[in-house]
């Protein structure tokens, strides 16, 4: 992979991870990249490093431009190991470099890699570092998405380097948004937002407002994953504002599992009720659909219907795991409806409703339960519940 110039003196020196398909549970069906940037001026700065398995590739890319002992600063925007686990190796080779991070970044570096990172220098929002003609300005972004997170802005080039924010898990031989398929790009940006940043919606809105108020002009957004936004950075900023506001369409997602087909029959009858009222419906049967794509479908839906059979007086384990995941992600502004089948004691629907209420979800009641196999009357009831939910979706 060749180094790519963003603007004169600002180069991408990152790596492409074509083969990763599981990023701590997130299904990365299109791989990812770990983006590092080298800024060469009177002083040289490296912005972030890469996952340790790619350290040699990063070194190769940097040394095409400068030898590592010529690096004056290594800026650590974020300590999660996909961006910092090659830092101990790079720091040894870049022996003249000062390492710069937020205060919590310094603490996290020590906790990850030991007390040799006591020497890290810290910066806070508004601090600047002159490299010569170029100036780096730092903006702390705590909890976006770790306490240590920080953005680096190149003042003269108007390039924002926000690390994970505005990223996409998208491996590509292209480095810029205008070089890749726009639909694929926005799909991956949505998957990324839904599965990583969704619980942080209020913070995202506030941080974007803060940056706007700071009057920082942005010509390019160079995140730490995926391609660089240069064609129209406002497109991804506006998409983040809409997602963070919980904007949805007249769409329902049915997330369910089934043992002998009863819950499946209920799901289909409820879907017919919704569709009869012109609501878009997506079926996400767990064990056929993964959590990553299921959560992404939920991002722009107004309602989520979750169905489970009862097994050992509990919900199915797939549904239990899904609810654990989705309650942690805290999607905003959805209606939640629960349904399921049972043989004798029941328990699945009760358990699901309890979990949802505990998470503060807006649960539409009553829930629907069917004993053993739904008959025509039961299916009519399911259809009607779908219709009634459609009214609420449109309200
Ligand atoms: Fe891409 Fe939070 O690491």
């Amino acid at each position: 992979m060749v180094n790519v110039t963003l603007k004169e003196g600002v180069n991408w020196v990152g790596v492409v991870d074509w083969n990763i398909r599981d990023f701590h549970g997130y299904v990365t069906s299109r791989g990812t990249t770990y983006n590092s940037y080298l800024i060469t001026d009177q002083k040289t700065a490296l912005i972030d490093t890469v996952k340790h398995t790619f350290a040699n590739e990063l070194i190769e890319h940097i040394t095409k431009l400068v030898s590592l002992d010529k690096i004056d600063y290594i800026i650590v925007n974020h300590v999660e190991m996909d961006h910092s686990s090659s830092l101990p190796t790079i720091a040894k080779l870049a022996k003249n470099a000062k390492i710069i991070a937020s205060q919590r970044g310094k603490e996290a570096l020590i906790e990850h890699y030991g007390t040799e990172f006591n020497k890290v220098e810290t910066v806070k929002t508004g601090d600047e570092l002159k490299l010569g003609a170029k100036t780096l300005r730092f903006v702390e972004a705590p909890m976006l998405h770790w306490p240590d997170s920080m953005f680096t802005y190149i003042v003269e080039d108007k390039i924002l380097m926000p690390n994970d924010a505005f990223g996409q898990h998208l491996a590509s031989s292209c480095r810029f948004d205008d070089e890749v398929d726009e639909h694929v790009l926005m799909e991956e940006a949505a998957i990324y937002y839904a599965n990583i940043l969704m619980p942080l919606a209020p913070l995202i809105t506030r941080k974007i407002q803060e940056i706007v108020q700071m009057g920082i002009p942005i010509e390019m957004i160079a995140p730490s994953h995926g391609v660089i936004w240069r064609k129209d950075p406002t497109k991804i900023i506006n998409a983040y504002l809409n997602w963070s506001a919980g904007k949805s369409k007249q769409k329902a997602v049915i997330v369910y599992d089934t043992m002998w087909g009863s819950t499946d029959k209920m799901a289909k009858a409820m879907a017919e009720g919704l569709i009869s009222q012109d609501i878009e419906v997506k079926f996400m049967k767990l064990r056929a659909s993964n959590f990553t794509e299921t959560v992404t479908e939920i991002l722009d839906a107004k309602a989520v219907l979750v169905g489970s059979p009862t097994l050992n007086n509990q919900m199915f384990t797939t549904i239990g795991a899904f609810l654990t995941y989705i309650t942690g992600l805290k999607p905003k502004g959805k209606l939640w409806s629960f349904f399921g089948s049972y043989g004798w004691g029941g328990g699945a629907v009760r358990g699901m409703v309890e979990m949802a209420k505990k998470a503060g979800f807006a649960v539409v009641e009553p829930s629907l339960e069917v004993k053993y196999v739904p008959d025509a009357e039961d299916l009519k009831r399911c259809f009607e519940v779908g219709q009634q939910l459609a009214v609420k979706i449109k309200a």
Side-chain angles (χ1 to χ4, degrees):
M1 196 62 63
V2 293
N3 297 334
V4 174
T5 302
L6 282 69
K7 289 207 177 181
E8 194 184 341
V10 183
N11 281 272
W12 177 86
V13 289
V15 300
V16 181
D17 189 348
W18 293 97
N19 299 320
I20 189 169
R21 291 294 177 271
D22 181 342
F23 190 99
H24 59 51
Y26 176 139
V27 178
T28 46
S29 54
R30 292 188 175 106
T32 194
T33 73
Y34 312 108
N35 297 337
S36 275
Y37 301 97
L38 190 76
I39 306 168
T40 46
D41 199 333
Q42 288 170 25
K43 299 281 186 184
T44 298
L46 178 69
I47 314 291
D48 291 315
T49 64
V50 301
K51 194 172 167 182
H52 65 101
T53 45
F54 294 90
N56 286 343
E57 225 175 292
L58 172 63
I59 292 165
E60 205 179 295
H61 291 173
I62 294 170
T63 49
K64 279 181 188 164
L65 297 165
V66 294
S67 65
L68 269 81
D69 59 3
K70 293 281 186 284
I71 296 175
D72 298 289
Y73 304 103
I74 301 173
I75 313 297
V76 180
N77 277 329
H78 178 33
V79 179
E80 193 165 5
M81 285 178 276
D82 49 332
H83 308 294
S84 75
S85 55
S86 63
L87 180 63
T89 304
I90 301 295
K92 278 195 182 71
L93 297 169
K95 50 184 185 296
N96 300 314
K98 284 182 181 164
I99 301 172
I100 293 176
S102 65
Q103 176 59 37
R104 283 187 276 191
K106 176 178 178 175
E107 291 159 15
L109 283 171
I110 294 167
E111 281 159 358
H112 277 75
Y113 306 114
T115 49
E116 65 185 278
F117 286 90
N118 277 335
K119 61 186 180 215
V120 169
E121 295 186 9
T122 62
V123 288
K124 53 187 188 318
T125 295
D127 286 353
E128 291 189 342
L129 179 64
K130 268 286 196 197
L131 300 179
K134 296 181 194 293
T135 312
L136 303 185
R137 186 182 296 162
F138 304 103
V139 180
E140 291 167 278
M143 296 318 298
L144 285 177
H145 68 128
W146 275 23
D148 57 274
S149 297
M150 180 173 88
F151 299 172
T152 297
Y153 177 68
I154 310 174
V155 176
E156 293 75 12
D157 294 322
K158 305 180 180 66
I159 302 175
L160 182 69
M161 295 179 168
N163 196 269
D164 277 333
F166 308 113
Q168 335 90 45
H169 285 312
L170 177 60
S172 171
S173 55
C174 303
R175 298 276 65 81
F176 295 100
D177 55 350
D178 48 78
E179 299 171 332
V180 297
D181 181 288
E182 192 173 354
H183 172 75
V184 169
L185 174 60
M186 291 314 292
E187 184 176 273
E188 285 301 332
I191 296 170
Y192 188 96
Y193 177 91
N195 286 275
I196 297 178
L197 299 170
M198 187 146 64
L200 311 169
L203 289 176
I204 289 167
T205 307
R206 279 208 296 277
K207 184 54 65 180
I208 290 174
Q209 286 165 348
E210 181 190 320
I211 287 173
V212 169
Q213 280 161 10
M214 287 166 98
I216 292 179
I218 296 173
E219 279 185 14
M220 245 185 244
I221 297 177
S224 59
H225 296 291
V227 298
I228 296 154
W229 305 91
R230 73 173 173 189
K231 184 179 160 198
D232 179 14
T234 58
K235 186 180 172 92
I236 188 63
I237 291 172
N238 289 335
Y240 265 50
L241 287 171
N242 287 335
W243 291 326
S244 299
K247 281 203 176 161
S248 58
K249 37 185 195 172
Q250 294 188 357
K251 170 183 168 185
V253 180
I254 303 182
V255 185
Y256 74 106
D257 209 334
T258 194
M259 194 188 301
W260 292 108
S262 293
T263 309
D264 185 65
K265 285 190 177 96
M266 294 177 76
K268 284 177 179 146
M270 293 169 92
E272 280 170 24
L274 287 157
I275 292 165
S276 74
Q277 301 303 308
D278 297 322
I279 301 296
E280 179 189 345
V281 173
K282 284 277 177 165
F283 267 72
M284 306 306 284
K285 177 178 176 284
L286 300 181
R287 292 187 291 156
S289 304
N290 63 53
F291 289 172
T292 307
E293 59 195 347
T294 302
V295 167
T296 308
E297 286 295 347
I298 289 171
L299 181 61
D300 65 355
K302 180 64 190 171
V304 189
L305 297 80
V306 186
S308 174
T310 294
L311 178 69
N312 302 324
N313 300 113
Q314 309 266 11
M315 68 189 88
F316 247 37
T317 54
T318 49
I319 298 293
F322 166 73
L323 286 177
T324 302
Y325 189 47
I326 197 73
T327 51
L329 286 170
K330 302 183 180 75
K332 279 176 72 180
K334 316 290 177 199
L335 299 168
W336 293 82
S337 175
F338 294 91
F339 65 98
S341 57
Y342 66 99
W344 44 101
V349 169
R350 187 174 60 244
M352 292 190 293
V353 169
E354 275 172 15
M355 269 184 93
K357 285 187 174 171
K358 196 171 162 205
F361 286 6
V363 177
V364 179
E365 294 185 291
S367 305
L368 259 180
E369 281 189 281
V370 164
K371 190 171 182 185
Y372 285 122
V373 178
D375 60 15
E377 193 56 37
D378 293 325
L379 293 175
K380 183 166 170 279
R381 204 154 49 96
C382 291
F383 181 87
E384 287 165 359
V385 165
Q387 284 185 315
Q388 288 154 14
L389 192 56
V391 174
K392 291 188 163 61
I393 291 170
K394 289 178 176 177

